[in-house]
Amino acid sequence: MYEQLTAADALEKLGTDRKAGLSAEEAAERLARFGPNAFAEGKKKTLLGMLLAQLRDPMIYILMAAAVVSAVLGEIADTIIILLVVLLNAVIGVVQESKAEKSLEALKKLSSPTALVRRGGRPAEIAAAELVPGDIVILDAGRVVPADLRLIESINLKIEESSLTGESVPADKDAGFVAEGDITLGDRLNMAYMSTSVAYGRGEGVVALTGMDTEIGKIARMINESPEELTPLQKRLADLGKLLGILAVLLCAALFLVALLQGRDLMEMLLTAISLAVAAVPEGLPAVVTIVLALGVQRMVKVGSIVRKLPAVETLGSVSTVCSDKTGTLTQNKMTVTKVWTRGGGTRGVSEMDYAAYKLLVDGFVLCTDAEADAETGVRAGDPTELALVDMGAALSVRKSALCAEMPRVAEQAFDSDRKMMTTVHKRAADARILAFTKGAMDCVIRRCDAILPAKELTDEAAGRPLTPEDVAAIEAAAADMAADALRVLAVAVKTDDGSATEAQLTFVGLVGMIDPPRPEAKAAVEVFRGASVTTVMITGDHRDTAFAIAKELSIATGPEQCITGDELSKMSQEDLNARVPDLRVFARVSPEHKVMIVNAFRSHGQIVSMTGDGVNDAPSLKAADIGVAMGITGTDVAKGAADMVLTDDNFATIKNAIEEGRNIYNNIKKTVLFLLSSNLGEILTMFVAITAGVASPLRAIHILWINLITDSLPALALGADTGDPRIMEELPRNPKDSLFAQGGLATTICYGAIIGAITLAAFAWAPASVLRAAGEALTLANLDAALADPLVYRTAQTYAFTTLAVSQLFNAIGFRNLKRSIFRMNHVENKMMLIAFFIGLALQVAVTELHFLSEAFDTVELSLSEWLKLAALCTAPLWFHELCVLARALRRGGVAAR
């Protein structure tokens, strides 16, 4: 709004005087009315709140109910174990999620701590928080803009706004500019925004907006109001928890119905129901998934990614659209000269130049700058455009410091936005010859020239000739060609000077074209994404032509029709953009609100969206995306605080590695979940079949808890740490709507669960069957139940069932590493954790039966070596089934070897 007012109108509207500023009394009254120039804080999560959030889970509710019933029935050991499981899950979750949001704190750090103002007619340095609308703020190079200002004076003023607008070079400011209608942030030449910094020149402005009303304050509000959304995995696990909860209730109800029909003892059935409820819940699942995600985080660090929020790891595997900021993400955030043109040599790349042949052009551009860049000293300061010119010299082994020593500056005319030129005069130490170099906009420089250097070699002694209309046409055509490639064009001219730095009768030397170039690795990453059916989209505050040129070079876009600007977006509703977005690949001159709108548009088509960025302007969209990715080196603290993941090397290609890891991690989680559920299904079938058949319970609640927490969880963790599939990026992104049981998951769970249940029941019947055979009696359900009435036989039968169930899970985990590959073709050494888990699990199970104090606690009997060998052979059944499935799949595909 203030950009549409003249400076005088803005001063009048804000009720202030340019020369005197506000009085102390008026400033105090306005501070009370408008509040401090600071950000409002969002409500923070408390430790108790995070702990309670971890307990809001259907699986936890079932366990809590089981603990209460166990306590009422006097089963204190079971109660303690169940409560410890609940507490362990909650603590792990809180520890992983306890990192508080840092976005608003980082925004506070960005706001200027002090400001130079004019109050009561005198300059004063005050805390930025004390600024009020109407204050007159004085700006000069190096200062951070402390609030949103309507500029009232600008003298060669340039402000670095890349973190807010995405512009790769400082913006020229003009206090005399008045906007006609609504325009984007980057085009508001008469405004200076909070948190941006003065790169060059000086100026004055009147405070228009403070605190949460500033542009960066709006970003703070957007971050604060952005809702926390569940990731696909969290949604799947929540659905699974509800399903298991319903299953547990139905099983318990069915069990009581059976008990009534069979005339069983209801208290005994209540204990059995607890065992069944515990069997229905994979107690280790929340902890195992959390730990697997944490292990995934460590793997992500190795590929250059730091994950701030654990569930974001698996979200990466579903990403189908990568929305990337251009400046500093797809590009290097470093203006670079890529082309030069001279009348004698035509257009060339910098790498094709020979310094001796282009000496005058290179010397002129390097000397006519105020930037400093020295690789030896590490000094790098100045305008990005001028730094690009100094870098051009450095690429040709020309150090500015050495050149300045050879040709020291003796006079100058500083750059200003009216002339659009800068002139420096140098006296050569060797022969006292004076040369003046003028650089600036091509059209401005050429108007001051009456000669041109036509020679192929531009040495100090090269002679010029009169400038002709043909020369001017050639210069303009070369500049147009560079501009068509979105290059920023500068010209340089020279004259033998008397030291007065007059900009007339110049001799034209040549042109350079510069751009913030793409990262070398970005194009390869875009190609990999295309092969993985992941769409790359560029979002930037830069101009349309520049954005499209970079997008075309990176193969993100193929035609201008795939580009859209912020002005066009401002005239569209969210629904309009939703309809157009499938055909768009480049968004130029956009504001923070536009970025969120763009992310939401892609999400409206069911896309899982990753947004990458590094600036303050990226923070709301980083938060709105399914997964926000911030740059670790150049990224602002605000961006990092809003992101789910931070790239340690600022490498766009690292996102490709992260998505690949995310896909593999999700596959591992899915394997883990299906493995645990097949184990639990085996437990449920064992219990339910036995009870409905009218025989005693094969397992106690403590047996099931032991299996679920120890012999299941250890190999489950090993599955979660399994090596990845090298061909994973050739597959389509996973459909976020797919359940964990998609693509054969349900059949896998049922089949393996049925086999485990069958061999466990077989083991349970083994002991009473031996007794019946010895007595010469037939094996019937009635005789089986009668044999189990003997406490020793029952205890032995339960030990057999307990051992078979536990050890078969260990063998089952080996096959679950790859359900499509034979175990004889797997590299088992690749997953050392699986080997460790197998032998530790086996040792612990042996300890439960062979160590007296544990056998007493678990009510088991000691087993002989022959019993162990027979049970072990029975426990390998899941692996034989695995091999049959692999063989059947290979035969269906017409092959003999499993792939």
Side-chain angles (χ1 to χ4, degrees):
M1 147 175 129
Y2 284 94
E3 68 274 7
Q4 299 175 27
L5 302 177
T6 64
D9 289 343
L11 289 168
E12 182 180 350
K13 181 178 178 69
L14 291 163
T16 189
D17 180 77
R18 175 178 175 179
K19 292 184 178 179
L22 299 175
S23 65
E25 294 77 14
E26 177 66 18
E29 188 276 327
R30 293 191 183 192
L31 185 63
R33 190 192 338 160
F34 294 106
N37 181 32
F39 302 123
E41 293 189 26
K43 189 176 180 181
K44 295 180 180 178
K45 292 180 180 178
T46 64
L47 188 62
L48 178 61
M50 286 190 287
L51 184 65
L52 292 175
Q54 296 296 325
L55 298 176
R56 295 191 196 105
D57 185 292
M59 288 189 280
I60 299 298
Y61 297 156
I62 295 168
L63 290 178
M64 293 290 283
V68 170
V69 175
S70 296
V72 170
L73 297 176
E75 297 291 331
I76 304 302
D78 288 3
T79 303
I80 292 172
I81 291 173
I82 294 171
L83 291 177
L84 284 174
V85 170
V86 171
L87 185 62
L88 177 66
N89 283 331
V91 168
I92 290 174
V94 169
V95 168
Q96 295 294 345
E97 297 293 340
S98 62
K99 193 172 185 180
E101 290 291 337
K102 299 296 181 184
S103 300
L104 294 178
E105 287 79 357
L107 281 164
K108 287 181 185 178
K109 292 177 186 176
L110 275 178
S111 49
S112 175
T114 61
L116 183 60
V117 300
R118 189 179 293 120
R119 281 189 177 174
R122 295 182 178 181
E125 193 91 24
I126 66 169
E130 296 175 9
L131 281 175
V132 295
D135 264 323
I136 304 299
V137 177
I138 301 167
L139 300 173
D140 52 32
R143 281 194 176 272
V144 175
V145 179
D148 283 5
L149 312 178
R150 169 55 168 97
L151 295 172
I152 54 178
E153 181 183 66
S154 58
I155 301 172
N156 301 328
L157 184 63
K158 294 185 178 184
I159 295 182
E160 170 60 63
E161 297 180 329
S162 64
S163 67
L164 189 64
T165 66
E167 284 274 18
S168 50
V169 295
D172 291 309
K173 293 298 180 178
D174 180 6
F177 173 79
V178 179
E180 297 180 4
D182 292 331
I183 56 176
T184 60
L185 284 180
D187 295 325
R188 297 174 189 174
L189 307 183
N190 55 4
M191 297 293 293
Y193 293 104
M194 187 177 190
S195 86
T196 60
S197 58
V198 180
Y200 190 84
R202 59 189 177 86
E204 291 185 7
V206 57
V207 175
L209 299 164
T210 60
M212 296 299 285
D213 294 325
T214 63
E215 290 299 326
I216 198 172
K218 293 175 185 176
I219 293 175
R221 183 177 290 108
M222 291 167 70
I223 294 172
N224 204 27
E225 293 174 354
S226 178
E228 294 287 343
E229 292 201 22
L230 295 177
T231 69
L233 179 63
Q234 286 175 316
K235 293 172 184 175
R236 298 288 84 78
L237 290 177
D239 292 343
L240 179 61
K242 292 173 185 175
L243 178 64
L244 292 175
I246 294 168
L247 179 63
V249 171
L250 291 176
L251 286 173
C252 290
L255 198 64
F256 268 103
L257 181 61
V258 169
L260 288 172
L261 293 173
Q262 294 178 348
R264 293 200 178 205
D265 181 78
L266 290 181
M267 293 304 290
E268 178 189 340
M269 281 296 99
L270 192 57
L271 283 172
T272 305
I274 292 172
S275 299
L276 200 57
V278 170
V281 178
E283 288 79 12
L285 182 60
V288 166
V289 170
T290 301
I291 293 169
V292 169
L293 286 171
L295 291 173
V297 167
Q298 298 306 310
R299 287 167 60 168
M300 299 291 277
V301 169
K302 293 178 182 177
V303 296
S305 309
I306 296 174
V307 177
R308 295 183 62 251
K309 300 170 185 175
L310 279 184
V313 176
E314 58 84 21
T315 309
L316 279 165
S318 297
V319 168
S320 54
T321 300
V322 174
C323 294
S324 177
D325 182 49
K326 178 185 76 69
T327 305
T329 307
L330 288 165
T331 65
Q332 300 174 28
N333 198 19
K334 178 183 176 183
M335 292 298 288
T336 304
V337 175
T338 58
K339 291 183 180 179
V340 299
W341 180 91
T342 61
R343 187 64 167 131
T347 301
R348 292 195 179 189
V350 175
S351 60
E352 303 173 76
M353 291 170 60
D354 175 47
Y355 174 58
Y358 287 84
K359 186 176 189 303
L360 205 58
L361 179 140
V362 175
D363 288 356
F365 273 124
V366 172
L367 289 170
C368 194
T369 64
D370 291 325
E372 297 291 337
D374 196 310
E376 292 186 10
T377 62
V379 173
R380 189 171 182 83
D383 181 89
T385 300
E386 294 197 335
L387 283 169
L389 298 173
V390 176
D391 289 339
M392 176 184 67
L396 297 169
S397 303
V398 178
R399 289 181 62 190
K400 183 182 178 182
S401 56
L403 199 58
C404 288
E406 181 185 331
M407 299 182 68
R409 186 182 297 186
V410 295
E412 67 180 283
Q413 270 204 72
F415 174 88
D416 69 49
S417 54
D418 292 327
R419 288 170 31 251
K420 295 184 180 179
M421 292 187 298
M422 172 182 180
T423 297
T424 58
V425 183
H426 302 266
K427 184 176 183 179
R428 193 157 62 190
D431 57 8
R433 183 185 181 192
I434 295 177
L435 290 175
F437 294 103
T438 299
K439 82 166 195 309
M442 180 274 296
D443 54 339
C444 296
V445 172
I446 204 170
R447 284 199 297 267
R448 311 295 178 100
C449 294
D450 59 10
I452 188 170
L453 292 176
K456 289 187 177 181
E457 295 195 0
L458 304 180
T459 64
D460 291 347
E461 310 304 325
R465 63 164 173 76
L467 184 70
T468 66
E470 291 77 13
D471 293 326
V472 173
I475 294 167
E476 289 176 343
D481 287 342
M482 289 185 182
D485 290 333
L487 301 184
R488 185 176 188 186
V489 182
L490 289 179
V492 67
V494 66
K495 72 179 290 188
T496 302
D497 202 87
D498 58 4
S500 62
T502 55
E503 295 168 338
Q505 297 179 322
L506 306 178
T507 299
F508 190 87
V509 178
L511 303 171
V512 295
M514 64 181 69
I515 196 170
D516 179 14
R519 291 177 176 270
E521 64 280 357
K523 185 168 186 177
V526 171
E527 287 299 321
V528 172
F529 282 147
R530 184 174 290 106
S533 299
V534 176
T535 302
T536 306
V537 174
M538 178 191 290
I539 302 178
T540 179
D542 230 330
H543 291 277
R544 181 178 190 147
D545 291 344
T546 304
F548 175 64
I550 296 293
K552 187 176 180 181
E553 186 173 346
L554 291 173
S555 300
I556 292 173
T558 56
E561 69 280 358
Q562 293 178 298
C563 305
I564 192 170
T565 65
D567 285 338
E568 293 173 86
L569 288 173
S570 296
K571 298 170 185 176
M572 298 171 70
S573 66
Q574 182 70 61
E575 290 70 26
D576 293 336
L577 181 58
N578 292 354
R580 279 199 62 187
V581 82
D583 301 320
L584 299 174
R585 293 295 177 268
V586 178
F587 298 82
R589 304 300 284 171
V590 298
S591 69
E593 293 87 350
H594 292 148
K595 292 189 176 189
V596 176
M597 191 176 171
I598 293 162
V599 168
N600 290 337
F602 279 107
R603 293 187 70 195
S604 72
H605 289 271
Q607 302 288 312
I608 296 295
V609 180
S610 165
M611 170 68 190
T612 68
D614 58 357
V616 175
N617 61 330
D618 296 322
S621 50
L622 289 174
K623 191 110 177 184
D626 294 286
I627 179 160
V629 183
M631 300 293 131
I633 299 173
T634 59
T636 61
D637 287 343
V638 182
K640 294 174 192 175
D644 301 290
M645 187 177 84
V646 179
L647 304 184
T648 59
D649 56 2
D650 282 18
N651 189 338
F652 179 79
T654 300
I655 301 167
K656 184 267 295 182
N657 297 333
I659 288 177
E660 184 174 356
E661 278 296 332
R663 289 187 175 191
N664 280 318
I665 289 166
Y666 183 85
N667 281 355
N668 286 348
I669 289 173
K670 182 174 179 178
K671 286 190 296 188
T672 299
V673 171
L674 294 182
F675 165 74
L676 290 173
L677 292 179
S678 65
S679 300
N680 279 75
L681 181 60
E683 295 164 6
I684 292 169
L685 291 174
T686 300
M687 295 289 293
F688 198 73
V689 170
I691 300 304
T692 53
V695 298
S697 173
L699 298 163
R700 294 182 58 199
I702 195 170
H703 294 162
I704 296 170
L705 280 171
W706 170 266
I707 292 169
N708 289 355
L709 293 173
I710 306 298
T711 54
D712 270 6
S713 296
L714 290 176
L717 286 173
L719 283 173
D722 212 357
T723 53
D725 181 353
R727 294 180 294 182
I728 195 77
M729 289 302 281
E730 296 173 12
E731 299 177 6
L732 294 172
R734 189 184 73 257
N735 187 338
K737 295 181 180 179
D738 280 352
S739 75
L740 289 163
F741 298 114
Q743 299 177 350
L746 182 60
T748 298
T749 303
I750 292 172
C751 290
Y752 283 93
I755 289 168
I756 290 169
I759 61 174
T760 304
L761 286 169
F764 179 64
W766 187 359
S770 299
V771 172
L772 291 172
R773 276 199 306 272
E777 295 184 28
L779 181 62
T780 63
L781 285 177
N783 289 342
L784 186 66
D785 195 40
L788 289 171
D790 183 327
L792 180 59
V793 173
Y794 183 39
R795 192 177 176 189
T796 303
Q798 281 197 324
T799 303
Y800 283 1
F802 179 27
T803 302
T804 301
L805 186 59
V807 177
S808 65
Q809 318 278 31
L810 300 175
F811 283 106
N812 192 30
I814 294 172
F816 255 81
R817 282 193 61 203
N818 192 330
L819 294 172
K820 299 177 183 178
R821 183 183 289 268
S822 167
I823 62 168
F824 301 108
R825 294 174 60 84
M826 293 181 194
N827 183 353
H828 297 288
V829 180
E830 275 183 343
N831 193 340
K832 294 183 178 65
M833 191 179 289
M834 179 61 76
L835 298 176
I836 293 169
F838 181 88
F839 288 110
I840 288 178
L842 187 60
L844 289 172
Q845 191 59 35
V846 170
V848 167
T849 61
E850 307 308 315
L851 295 181
H852 182 70
F853 73 96
L854 285 176
S855 67
E856 286 292 319
F858 285 87
D859 200 21
T860 58
V861 298
E862 292 184 18
L863 300 177
S864 65
L865 179 59
S866 64
E867 287 175 310
W868 269 109
L869 291 174
K870 291 175 184 177
L871 290 174
L874 186 62
C875 291
T876 61
L879 287 184
W880 297 116
F881 178 73
H882 170 90
E883 290 303 302
L884 287 172
C885 290
V886 170
L887 180 61
R889 185 179 292 109
L891 292 174
R892 278 201 308 272
R893 293 180 179 179
V896 178
R899 292 179 61 181

